[in-house]
């Protein structure tokens, strides 16, 4: 299908707050995004023309923010509301390999939903991983460098060469990826075998660095992972915040070049993939 | 008659009292005011008595409470009106589109920007987390209620010294470290959660703020011109719709609380005056409000600020020459048993008032429902200029608009003031020997007012919304340094930028309020110009002590005079502002603190500059006013405990020329980095440029004010100066362009290797590696705050 016909549902509830720049990212590339309140999918308080179905869209995105204040655990309430009524449709959506993108709070929601890590096809009833409080125990807003380590499974990074390092900033308090404590190695191994590790935090020399380059203490420096089909993808850093070069924190040193920022390729990749597959 | 017998139940149902002020003696009038927490004085109470005697009835408690709110210092600026009118108003008024809850100014042909700045000092001193959070909540509503999308927060903060020994704290005063952490936590948790970037601000430490910290909050918004909406009714019949959070006992008497000094009992007696913030109620309120406005469904819009329902209902109608009829029965409450007067004046957070045509009410309620935002019609606008309030079928308030909301006109209320003594500090300075300047520089770098504020800045999301193109921390990844101002690119299809900075130097202010205020405007302009922006408008948040004391009032007058003189000369309007008096605790008043927020326009953000050196071999220039021995209030003297010296003066002609010269050179792409010279003088300025880049410099001070001692050259804080790194090979064009603009400059060195080396008259005074400089600068606040 043509890119201009690709409908992207940018989901929001109270406390979602990166929806505008996420919407803009898809819009700038010629797709047809829509800001979509979860209640429109759940059919609550909607006029007829406001009702929506997940299959109205070829791609869903859960943007960053503090859904419902993140008061219980980041993303937990958003996920619970989705599960309450949409579980079946969403499972079907994933099964049909329509892409879902979760950034920051969206990644937290995908973990809470059990759609990630998504090592096998069964969606577990309780989460298999968590994005825990940063090691620094505080909110961190800082530039981070991500090394692309995926071998081709993730459809959101197909336009990024392997081992490329991208400047995509982080801004979160809960971003430390953890698996069940007694099975950490097992999970890591499976993720790597399945080519589900997408981004790792590195320092400016390209080495796996400690804090602050890994801003949260995430296991094995992981910043983003996809499911075993490569169609559900979550990452803590914000690619929509380096869509253009002038959003980079150091552009006055590095120059503006063609204005294309390091995060743009993620949105391009998924649109390209959808246009070829559907 | 004893006091209690003056209070009588009005009727069986309405839970209102009638207060027999006719029978009260003058002293009892004052006692009634105290008992009810009205903060009205005897004269004001007598005036109220006269009014009701004409009406042949005694007032109800809700009527007196409403008057207490409407007439308080906070609401109608009774001490500040005269000096503000004399000095601050009337400058470039034609540029101001509106001055309501926020000031509105043109951004481009199709857009306005708007901005507001206020204080939230007393609540933050009592309960730092809640106080600061609700400060943010309040200021964002001021911008939203103009119809604008908020795009930036600015948070200037002032505390006592972080290393203050506990035994020096007076009773009831909280430790600066506790306050600092609480305030930053509050701003972080609220600002980050509602998704507006915190872009700029100031953090300052000074003994004078120990008993009364200052928390100022600013917000900038952007809107299409057709989205701009007034805070006033359009016509009788407009429906009042209450939108947002519930009403509770939090924030009762917040306005009157702000109008009295803090005492050691404030902790216990005033906690109810601090509101509770709820960002996750607020965030959808912003969405719902802006959506209703974009769809053209609103006639008028106002946020709940000081004085709660009482002020918001009154002012919406009063400003249109109309009246209001309100029913309190359906107001959603946080708890049962609130008295009607409490409902009427509560300052609970997260509430907005819409005025809507009857035919649009359903549409508005639907949008709010979709966002799960409470929205309830509670009254209508009426033709008569009267406010009426009903509760449980009883009329419990009825007053003329002019009397209640118009407030008393204090023609005669020119508070006495005395001219501040400024010459004490200027008397002849004692001479002292110059220490090793490497050591001095290291000491200054570690001074909390100079040292890295990364601890604060990285806890705020400064990039959400994706519009922040020049960030508060700038330079090479991992070694970023402080910037002068932050830049937003607010529109998708335009490279035009909004540039924001905020400043004041309290040590200048306490020595000389006039020149201190002038310096604040000078510095704000320097900051804006340094990134490549033309200053466009100013906001002021005037934080002072008790205005009933003539010395404090004198400081206020002199500060206003300074701000006004500068703004007038530079043709910059003050578009919005706030006055906060009584920032005074048992021991001392705060230094006079007129925080100035400056907004500039960058015509193309792709030309904006940062402070970090860009490459080796570029010439470095000192541009601007002559460097003089103006050491009063400087970081250098403070560090060495010297309490004398002259506060830096300004010269607006020089300032204007320099701004034009530098902006012209930036436009021509001659400059690659630029930093204004402020606290710590040339020495700190050069250090910060090196810190952000890992590039050093070789500097020769010989040409700067020959005859001046080297330490004064290096650490003087004379105004109107910048350090510029000029593109290699462009220095001739650069120099001739500056000459054309009558701008003074001196070439003082060039960027080189990774050491900062400073000579004067063939003697090497400073030689420090950039790493060494960075280490001294980076650690102090981290090590105090963890």
């Amino acid at each position: 299908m043509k890119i201009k016909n690709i409908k992207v549902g940018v989901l929001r509830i109270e406390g979602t707050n990166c929806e505008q720049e996420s919407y803009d990212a898809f819009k700038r590339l010629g797709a047809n995004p829509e800001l979509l309140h979860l209640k429109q999918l759940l059919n609550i308080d909607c006029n007829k023309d406001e009702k929506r179905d997940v299959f109205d869209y070829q791609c869903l995105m859960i943007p960053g923010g503090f859904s419902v204040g993140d008061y219980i655990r980041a993303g937990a309430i958003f996920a619970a509301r989705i599960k309450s009524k949409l579980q079946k449709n969403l499972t079907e959506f994933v099964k049909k390999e329509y892409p879902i993108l979760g950034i920051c709070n969206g990644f937290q929601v995908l973990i809470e939903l059990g759609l990630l890590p998504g090592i096998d096809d069964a969606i577990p009833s309780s989460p298999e991983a968590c994005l825990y409080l940063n090691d620094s125990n505080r909110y961190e807003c800082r530039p981070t460098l991500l090394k692309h380590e995926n071998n081709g499974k993730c459809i959101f990074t197909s336009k990024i060469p392997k081992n490329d390092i991208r400047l995509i900033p982080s801004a979160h308090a809960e971003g430390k990826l953890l698996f069940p404590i007694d099975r950490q190695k097992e999970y890591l191994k499976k993720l790597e075998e399945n080519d589900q590790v997408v981004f790792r935090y590195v320092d400016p020399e390209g080495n796996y660095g400690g804090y602050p380059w890994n801003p949260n203490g995430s296991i094995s420096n992981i910043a983003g992972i996809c499911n075993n089909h490569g169609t559900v993808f979550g990452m803590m850093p914000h690619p929509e915040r380096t869509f253009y070069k002038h959003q980079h924190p150091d552009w006055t040193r590095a120059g503006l070049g063609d204005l294309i920022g390091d995060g743009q390729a993620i949105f391009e990749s998924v649109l390209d993939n959808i246009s070829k597959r559907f | 008659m004893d006091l209690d017998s003056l209070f009588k139940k009005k009727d069986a149902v309405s839970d209102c009292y009638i207060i027999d002020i006719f029978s009260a003696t003058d002293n009892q009038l004052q006692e009634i005011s105290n008992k009810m927490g009205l903060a009205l004085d005897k004269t004001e109470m007598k005036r109220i008595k006269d009014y009701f005697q004409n009406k042949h009835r005694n007032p109800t408690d809700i009527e007196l409470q409403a008057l207490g709110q409407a007439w308080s210092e906070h609401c109608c600026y009774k001490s500040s009106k005269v000096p503000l009118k004399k000095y601050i108003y009337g400058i470039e008024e034609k540029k101001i589109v509106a001055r309501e809850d926020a000031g509105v100014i043109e951004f481009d042909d199709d857009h306005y920007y708007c901005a507001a700045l206020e204080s939230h000092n007393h609540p933050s001193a009592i309960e730092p987390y809640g106080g600061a959070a609700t400060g943010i909540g309040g200021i964002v509503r001021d911008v939203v209620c103009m119809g604008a999308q908020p795009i930036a927060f600015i948070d200037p903060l002032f505390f006592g010294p972080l290393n203050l020994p506990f035994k020096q704290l007076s009773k009831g005063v909280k430790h600066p470290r506790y306050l600092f952490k609480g305030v930053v936590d509050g701003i972080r948790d609220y600002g980050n959660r509602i998704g507006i970037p915190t872009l700029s601000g100031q953090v300052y430490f000074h003994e004078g703020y120990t008993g009364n910290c200052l928390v100022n909050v600013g917000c900038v918004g952007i809107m299409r011109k057709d989205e701009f909406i007034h805070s006033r009714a359009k016509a009788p019949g407009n429906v009042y719709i209450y939108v947002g959070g519930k009403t509770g006992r939090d924030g009762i008497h917040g306005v009157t609380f702000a109008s009295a000094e803090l005492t050691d009992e404030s902790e216990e007696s005033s906690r109810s005056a601090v509101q509770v913030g709820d960002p996750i109620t607020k965030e959808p309120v912003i969405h719902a409000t802006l959506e209703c406005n974009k769809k053209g469904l609103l006639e008028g819009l106002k946020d709940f600020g000081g004085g709660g329902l009482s002020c918001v209902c009154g002012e919406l109608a009063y400003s249109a020459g109309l009246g209001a009829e309100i029913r309190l029965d359906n107001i959603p409450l946080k708890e049962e048993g609130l008295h009607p007067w409490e409902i009427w004046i509560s300052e609970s957070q997260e509430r907005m008032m819409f005025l809507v045509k009857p035919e649009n009410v359903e549409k508005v309620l639907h949008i709010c429902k979709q966002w799960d935002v409470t929205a309830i019609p509670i009254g209508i606008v009426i033709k008569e200029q009267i406010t009426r309030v009903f509760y449980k079928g009883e009329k419990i308030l009825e007053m003329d608009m002019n009397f209640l909301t118009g407030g008393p006109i204090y023609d005669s209320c020119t508070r006495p003031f005395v001219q501040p003594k400024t010459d004490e500090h200027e008397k002849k300075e004692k001479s002292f020997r110059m220490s090793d300047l490497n050591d001095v520089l290291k000491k200054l770098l570690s001074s909390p007012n100079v040292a890295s504020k990364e601890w604060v800045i990285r806890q705020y999301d400064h990039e959400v919304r994706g519009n922040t193109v020049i960030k508060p921390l700038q330079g090479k990844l991992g070694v970023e340094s402080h910037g002068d101002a932050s830049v937003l690119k607010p529109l998708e299809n335009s490279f035009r930028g909004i540039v924001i900075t905020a400043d004041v130097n309290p040590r200048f202010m306490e020595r000389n309020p006039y020149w201190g205020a002038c310096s604040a405007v000078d510095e704000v302009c320097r900051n804006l110009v340094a990134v490549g922006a033309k200053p466009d408008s100013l906001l002021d948040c005037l934080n002072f002590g008790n205005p009933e004391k003539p010395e404090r009032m004198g400081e206020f007058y002199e500060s206003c005079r300074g701000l006004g003189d500068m703004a007038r000369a530079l043709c910059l309007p003050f578009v919005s502002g706030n006055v906060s008096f009584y920032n005074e605790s048992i021991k001392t008043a705060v230094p006079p603190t007129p925080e100035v927020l400056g907004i500039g326009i960058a015509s193309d953000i792709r030309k904006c500059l940062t402070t970090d050196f860009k490459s080796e071999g570029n010439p470095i220039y000192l541009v601007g006013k002559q460097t003089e021995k103006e050491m009063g209030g400087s970081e250098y003297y403070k560090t060495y405990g010297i309490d004398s010296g002259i506060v830096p003066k300004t010269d607006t002609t020089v300032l204007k020329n320099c701004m034009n010269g530098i902006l012209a050179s930036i436009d021509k792409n001659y400059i690659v980095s630029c930093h204004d010279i402020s606290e710590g003088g040339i020495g700190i300025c050069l250090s910060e440029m090196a810190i952000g880049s890992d590039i050093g410099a070789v500097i020769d001070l010989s040409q700067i004010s020959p005859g001046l001692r080297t330490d004064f050259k290096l650490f003087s804080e004379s105004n109107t100066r910048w350090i510029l790194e000029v593109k290699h090979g462009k220095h001739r064009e650069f120099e001739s362009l500056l000459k054309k603009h009558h701008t003074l400059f001196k070439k003082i060195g060039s960027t080189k290797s990774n050491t900062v080396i400073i000579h004067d008259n063939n003697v090497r005074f400073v030689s420090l590696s950039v790493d060494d400089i960075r280490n001294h600068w980076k650690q102090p606040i981290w090590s105090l705050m963890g």
Side-chain angles (χ1 to χ4, degrees), chain B residues 422-708:
Chain B
T422 53
D423 52 351
E424 274 176 23
H425 298 290
E426 294 177 12
K427 61 191 173 200
K428 207 170 162 234
E429 298 174 50
K430 289 195 189 103
S431 58
F432 62 98
R433 277 185 53 198
M434 181 166 87
S435 319
D436 177 82
L437 293 189
N438 288 300
D439 295 340
V440 178
L441 184 58
K442 285 193 242 173
K443 258 193 181 167
L444 289 184
L445 285 161
S446 318
S447 154
N449 288 332
V450 170
S452 169
K453 305 297 183 299
E454 187 192 24
W455 182 84
V456 188
I457 297 169
R458 293 251 181 258
Q459 294 194 58
Y460 300 153
D461 191 342
H462 50 259
E463 295 194 284
V464 58
R465 302 189 57 76
N467 295 333
T468 313
V469 293
I470 299 284
K471 331 258 177 202
L473 289 170
Q474 317 177 343
K476 193 171 150 182
L477 286 190
V479 295
E480 296 90 343
S481 179
H482 290 156
D484 286 316
S486 299
V487 183
L488 285 172
K489 176 187 169 302
L491 301 176
E492 181 70 10
N493 297 315
S494 160
F495 281 103
R496 200 170 173 82
I498 289 186
V499 186
I500 303 170
T501 187
D503 252 302
V504 67
N505 185 325
R507 271 200 260 279
F508 294 170
M509 289 305 306
E510 64 187 346
R511 286 172 176 76
N512 190 320
Y514 178 80
W515 286 115
C518 292
S519 299
V521 177
D522 192 289
E523 178 166 4
V524 157
C525 292
R526 295 198 306 267
N527 286 341
L528 295 174
V529 167
V531 297
K534 189 170 184 296
D536 196 56
S537 64
L538 302 171
L539 292 89
D540 55 340
C541 188
L542 308 173
N543 308 273
F544 288 77
N546 184 345
E548 294 155 37
K549 298 179 182 167
E551 306 78 44
R552 302 285 162 266
M553 212 50 211
E555 292 169 353
F556 186 74
Y557 266 81
E558 280 298 277
S559 304
C560 291
R561 187 167 71 87
L563 296 179
D565 283 355
M566 290 296 284
R568 200 166 291 109
L570 298 165
C571 303
L572 291 173
F574 278 97
V575 296
S576 184
N578 167 242
V579 179
S580 168
F581 281 123
Y582 299 97
N583 291 295
E584 189 145 357
S585 59
I586 319 123
K587 271 194 172 165
T588 50
V590 300
T593 311
E595 177 71 19
V596 179
L597 193 161
I599 297 179
I601 300 294
S603 49
D604 186 341
I605 58 102
R606 290 170 293 188
K607 290 189 172 174
C608 284
L609 297 178
T610 50
T611 57
D612 46 306
F613 284 141
K614 296 301 180 298
S615 50
E616 289 187 55
N618 284 333
I620 296 174
Y621 284 80
L622 170 67
V623 174
K625 197 170 162 288
Q626 178 90 359
T627 303
E628 290 175 64
K629 192 182 171 188
E630 296 174 307
M631 307 304 293
S634 64
E635 278 300 320
Y636 182 38
Y637 272 24
K638 156 75 182 142
T639 305
Y640 285 84
I642 304 167
D643 186 25
S644 61
I646 298 168
V647 167
K649 297 188 168 53
T650 57
D651 179 332
T652 48
T653 312
V654 176
L655 177 58
K656 275 194 276 189
N657 286 339
C658 290
M659 294 195 321
N660 291 337
I662 293 175
L663 289 176
S665 333
I666 292 175
D667 192 53
K668 292 271 186 202
N669 297 317
Y670 295 158
I671 309 178
V672 291
S673 69
C674 180
H675 195 7
D676 99 292
I677 299 172
S678 54
E679 279 98 342
I682 294 175
I684 293 299
C685 183
L686 285 167
S687 301
E688 288 187 331
M689 297 176 87
I691 286 168
S693 62
D694 266 340
I695 296 170
V698 178
I699 302 292
D700 181 3
L701 304 175
S702 311
Q703 297 296 311
I704 301 173
S705 310
L708 198 59

Side-chain angles (χ1 to χ4, degrees), chain A residues 124-197:
Chain A
S125 55
S126 60
E128 284 184 294
C130 77
L131 289 160
Y132 191 64
L133 264 178
N134 296 348
D135 278 352
S136 64
N137 198 22
R138 68 165 74 78
Y139 189 92
E140 299 269 354
C141 178
R142 54 172 70 249
T144 39
L145 296 165
L146 308 187
K147 189 172 174 192
H148 181 226
E149 299 201 340
N150 198 260
N151 294 311
K153 176 167 274 181
C154 181
I155 64 163
F156 290 85
T157 54
S158 55
K159 297 207 169 230
I160 303 176
K162 190 172 178 200
N163 295 328
D164 219 28
I165 293 173
R166 296 275 165 140
L167 198 169
I168 299 181
S170 292
H172 58 255
E174 296 167 62
K176 178 180 181 172
L177 182 67
L178 286 178
F179 299 108
I181 227 78
D182 48 341
R183 296 170 63 195
Q184 301 264 32
K185 278 191 185 149
E186 185 189 329
Y187 271 91
L188 262 182
K189 196 166 159 245
K190 272 192 189 160
L191 281 183
E192 287 186 1
E193 280 170 8
N194 286 353
D195 193 23
Q196 288 181 249
V197 175

Side-chain angles (χ1 to χ4, degrees), chain A residues 70-128:
Chain A
D70 280 353
Y71 285 125
I72 295 180
R73 197 169 58 240
I77 302 177
F78 199 162
R81 282 195 205 160
I82 293 175
K83 271 186 175 176
S84 69
K85 265 180 138 181
L86 284 179
Q87 180 84 323
K88 199 169 144 257
N89 274 2
L90 208 60
T91 311
E92 192 63 25
F93 193 83
V94 173
K95 218 167 150 188
K96 290 190 169 157
E97 300 199 338
Y98 285 112
I100 302 182
L101 171 61
I103 290 171
C104 196
N105 196 216
F107 185 18
Q108 293 160 341
V109 174
L110 293 178
I111 293 265
E112 289 289 329
L113 279 172
L115 292 180
L116 287 175
I119 289 171
D120 47 44
D121 285 347
I123 295 174
S125 55
S126 60
E128 284 184 294

Side-chain angles (χ1 to χ4, degrees), chain A residues 15-17 19 21 28 37 39 45 47 50 66 69 138-139 141 143 169 241 246-247 251-253 256, chain B residues 192-193 195 280 283 287 366 369-370 372 458-459 461 465-466 469 471 492 605 610 612-614 786:
Chain A
T16 307
N17 58 35
E19 69 264 42
E21 52 273 39
R28 287 163 188 154
H37 199 289
K39 287 167 92 178
D45 299 329
N47 291 335
E50 291 161 346
F66 288 81
R138 68 165 74 78
Y139 189 92
C141 178
R241 295 189 185 183
H246 53 253
Q247 294 171 299
W251 68 263
T252 59
R253 305 183 70 77
L256 284 171
Chain B
N192 293 355
R193 279 201 169 93
I280 296 309
E283 205 262 353
H287 282 299
H366 176 69
K369 189 158 191 202
Q370 281 188 314
D372 294 309
R458 293 251 181 258
Q459 294 194 58
D461 191 342
R465 302 189 57 76
V469 293
K471 331 258 177 202
E492 181 70 10
I605 58 102
T610 50
D612 46 306
F613 284 141
K614 296 301 180 298

Side-chain angles (χ1 to χ4, degrees), chain B residues 66-91:
Chain B
L67 289 163
Q69 294 298 317
W71 291 10
S72 75
E73 181 77 48
H74 192 87
C75 282
C76 70
Y77 295 88
K78 63 190 174 195
S79 303
S80 54
K81 250 181 189 165
V82 173
L84 287 179
K85 217 170 170 177
K86 185 168 174 192
Y87 298 119
I88 306 263
Y89 297 155
I91 303 167

